[in-house]
Amino acid sequence: MDCAMTQLQITAFGDPSVLKLTPSLDKVPAQGEVRVRICFAGVNPIDAKTRAGLGWAAAQNKDKLPWTPGYDVAGVIDKVGPGVTSLKEGEPVCGMVGFPLVGGAYAESIVVNERELVKLDGVSLKQGAALPLAGLTAWQGLFEHGGLKRGQRVLILAGAGGVGHLAVQFASAYGAEVVVTASKENHGFLHGIGADLMVDYHDADWAAQVGLVDLVLDLMGGESGKAALACVKPGGQLVTVPTITAQLIKDAGSALGIQVSGMLVHPDSKQLAQMLILLRQGDAHITLAGEFALAEGALAHRAIEAGHVRGKLVLRMPGAERYPA
Ligand SMILES: NC(=O)c1ccc[n+]([C@@H]2O[C@H](COP(=O)([O-])OP(=O)(O)OC[C@H]3O[C@@H](n4cnc5c(N)ncnc54)[C@H](OP(=O)(O)O)[C@@H]3O)[C@@H](O)[C@H]2O)c1
């Protein structure tokens, strides 16, 4: 039987108080689709930016409100549509869904194409919810866009955040020398997960302390991204991840003859499955800074907007306790 569920929606852009619990009906999966009973949803800065009406996803959605934020889900398959071959009822799964326009993860259930999900085998639902968008961004930034090679030196700006702390672990496991910027309180944490050199971005000479690197993964953008151009070796490059300031940094790079590229993360089930193997084997670990009930999603947005979360935040759905976390 299809039943009622709750989602956290907005009917207008604004501060976190616009997030409201809204009752809805479970959707029925069509050809090739499955319904996931969501246990945890990952929280990402883009959720808060779009809720506030900023960026491309907000511009595209402005005439399509209400909108349910969230792209990272982990939960259990509770209904499969016709023609589904890869997933069965009762299987735990995670994925980056409906990116970048549809969203929908801040909800008790969601219907998605089976291709958007990966089985969670030996990885917890919480870790599965925290991984997809941040992990894929770290992976694609380092390897697809940055072309990182074993033995190279990489600078990760904002190493302690959701994307950063995964990028540190992936780059270190791959055999790169990893330099990060972070506030002093995060230096011990970052050393513990594989960073070789930690530099405090509050120091006026932080870029000089970094020295030269083959690749910068810029997770800050703006003036920090521009300042990091001074760290790029001749022939090196900078990948800037925040989309809003990407053009500014590309222009500054081209004035200095430095290769700068922007990026937009894309779903990739193979990469997600590879990262899940790293988590399962203990070669990477997600630090969870906080867990909020769905009804407290506004608090999670305030925390991510403050800009100093270490690792990731997740939302817990009502009923999540029925499944092992
Ligand atoms: N283009 C894409 O496809 C894409 C995909 C994912 C993310 N993004 C963007 O990438 C950015 C990073 O995402 P995220 O999820 O990692 O964010 P996040 O988790 O919110 O980042 C928080 C971290 O930023 C650090 N930080 C704050 N100010 C800093 C500074 N001036 N220098 C160095 N570190 C600083 C904080 O460390 P301290 O406490 O030590 O200050 C904190 O740990 C966001 O702008 C996000 O929107 C873009």
Side-chain angles (χ1 to χ4, degrees):
M1 195 183 75
D2 298 316
C3 11
M5 63 101 166
T6 306
Q7 43 190 333
L8 197 60
Q9 282 192 330
I10 61 167
T11 52
F13 297 127
D15 72 20
S17 67
V18 297
L19 290 163
K20 301 274 188 238
L21 284 179
T22 314
S24 321
L25 284 180
D26 278 335
K27 287 191 182 149
V28 178
Q31 181 77 24
E33 291 181 335
V34 296
R35 187 168 68 214
V36 181
R37 187 67 37 201
I38 301 175
C39 297
F40 297 95
V43 178
N44 292 287
I46 186 177
D47 307 350
K49 288 178 196 175
T50 310
R51 182 222 71 229
L54 303 172
W56 186 73
Q60 297 296 311
N61 275 319
K62 72 177 179 1
D63 299 322
K64 297 184 196 147
L65 303 179
W67 183 69
T68 303
Y71 303 102
D72 282 337
V73 294
V76 174
I77 302 288
D78 82 336
K79 199 173 178 74
V80 297
V84 169
T85 54
S86 64
L87 297 169
K88 295 195 203 62
E89 280 179 28
E91 281 181 328
V93 290
C94 76
M96 179 173 110
V97 299
F99 186 83
L101 295 182
V102 180
Y106 290 10
E108 288 180 278
S109 79
I110 192 167
V111 167
V112 295
N113 192 286
E114 62 176 319
R115 287 192 302 272
E116 293 187 82
L117 300 169
V118 172
K119 283 183 213 175
L120 268 178
D121 175 15
V123 174
S124 73
L125 288 163
K126 265 185 222 176
Q127 295 256 314
L131 175 68
L133 195 150
L136 289 166
T137 305
W139 192 276
Q140 291 165 14
L142 291 171
F143 303 117
E144 276 185 17
H145 298 272
L148 183 68
K149 299 193 180 48
R150 201 165 270 115
Q152 284 189 330
R153 194 159 192 262
V154 58
L155 167 64
I156 298 166
L157 298 185
V163 179
H165 87 299
L166 289 168
V168 168
Q169 296 176 74
F170 298 155
S172 169
Y174 193 63
E177 182 186 341
V178 181
V179 185
V180 290
T181 58
S183 56
K184 273 234 156 41
E185 303 81 75
N186 280 320
H187 287 192
F189 162 67
L190 286 159
H191 183 60
I193 60 171
D196 298 288
L197 174 66
M198 291 74 62
V199 172
D200 187 348
Y201 59 83
H202 296 98
D203 293 347
D205 67 343
W206 67 263
Q209 290 181 40
V210 168
L212 291 179
V213 298
D214 300 283
L215 171 66
V216 177
L217 183 64
D218 165 25
L219 300 169
M220 285 306 303
E223 291 308 312
S224 303
K226 263 168 80 178
L229 288 165
C231 303
V232 180
K233 265 184 193 166
Q237 61 165 317
L238 183 148
V239 176
T240 185
V241 178
T243 48
I244 294 173
T245 56
Q247 194 55 48
L248 177 88
I249 296 163
K250 282 187 198 173
D251 292 346
S254 81
L256 296 167
I258 296 172
Q259 188 190 327
V260 174
S261 43
M263 64 168 278
L264 186 65
V265 63
H266 58 86
D268 187 315
S269 305
K270 277 200 183 132
Q271 291 173 352
L272 189 51
Q274 277 177 289
M275 292 187 286
L276 286 169
I277 292 172
L278 292 180
L279 292 189
R280 194 176 310 133
Q281 291 173 341
D283 293 329
H285 180 78
I286 297 182
T287 295
L288 287 175
E291 176 183 324
F292 297 82
L294 179 66
E296 294 176 340
L299 292 179
H301 275 214
R302 290 191 202 285
I304 204 136
E305 285 175 331
H308 297 284
V309 170
R310 177 191 283 181
K312 292 288 306 176
L313 301 176
V314 292
L315 298 184
R316 184 185 63 255
M317 302 305 147
E321 65 283 350
R322 286 200 301 268
Y323 305 94

